[in-house]
Amino acid sequence: MVDKEKADYYYKNAYFKFESMVEENENDNLLYRLGMMNIKGKGVEQNIDLGIHFLQKAIVLNNLSAKIQLAQLYIDHDDFEHIAEALEWLYQMENENAYFILGKEYMEGIHVEKDITQAIHYFQKCEVNEYAYYYLYKLYEELYDHEQSIHYLQKAVDMDNEFAQIQMARILIDGIKVNKNVDQAISLLMKAEEKNNSFAQYMLGKLFLFGKEVEQDKEKAFVYLQKSASQGNVYAQYLIDNMERYEQQDIALMVSRFFYHISRIFEQQLPINNNNPLSHVDKKLRRKMQKKRSELGHKEDDQTLHF
């Protein structure tokens, strides 16, 4: 277990050490670290403006990581004053993180015109990114190229991506795009459940509750559903509250169709990237960015900028 007080102590010491070193010599790596520590509030009180200031100074010294992180920050928070510049930085880089960000931009079509071909192009340049593989699966599904979609989904599964594991489990249970294999599906769901994924817990609970694909086990079903419900999954809680009602197979099938609808909701809730250092920055920055946009004359519902 992480000792928070001890971690804070070391972060503070590191911050002051980096700060004193930068005063003597403006090293780009130290400036980058100071920038990220300010943005994330590590070792010092969170200060977004100061963090951006340090990143900008690191960029002047050609720090690639600072340029990528600042570009990601501008894009994530719709800073329309700087998005064109951020995209230009990314276009000029030969870097997997830059490729991934560009792939998402073309896939989502928020700051550039949506272009599936371009999205696939950039994601395919990412050789070791589980999320890029997962997005390629989704894009090829849009193109109805199931062979390629399964190929990239398997790559994400091989990299232990929990969202890919859940989707592959669904496909294996359906038995339409690949040969049906419930045992393998259960194994994948178990791996995702080990990461405390509430949706995997819900799927396992539902499978054991109805016993359609596996031997019915209400005690095991309750354990998984309870784990999922404790994380706020209202559908898991609903099944717990109504377990005794689902005794007949026809009702189980009806709920199975209901589950398919809910699974579509899951597909839309995939995190951008758990490895993104900016993923834990609080809402303070978004408010700051929104204020800046307003000052530039953007309306509240002005969400798209095309180049």
Side-chain angles (χ1 to χ4, degrees), residues 206 250-263:
K206 179 184 167 297
D250 59 335
I251 298 180
L253 289 172
M254 180 177 66
V255 176
S256 184
R257 296 189 195 102
F258 168 73
F259 162 73
Y260 179 78
H261 170 70
I262 301 306
S263 71

Side-chain angles (χ1 to χ4, degrees), residues 180-193:
K180 190 181 185 74
N181 190 327
V182 176
D183 289 340
Q184 187 178 350
I186 295 292
S187 176
L188 289 173
L189 289 174
M190 292 287 192
K191 288 181 179 180
E193 193 280 325

Side-chain angles (χ1 to χ4, degrees), residues 5 15 49 61 127 168 177 184 218 260 276 286:
E5 289 188 8
Y15 184 86
D49 289 333
L61 297 175
E127 296 181 359
M168 186 65 85
K177 297 174 185 175
Q184 187 178 350
K218 288 189 176 182
Y260 179 78
N276 182 358
R286 182 171 289 278

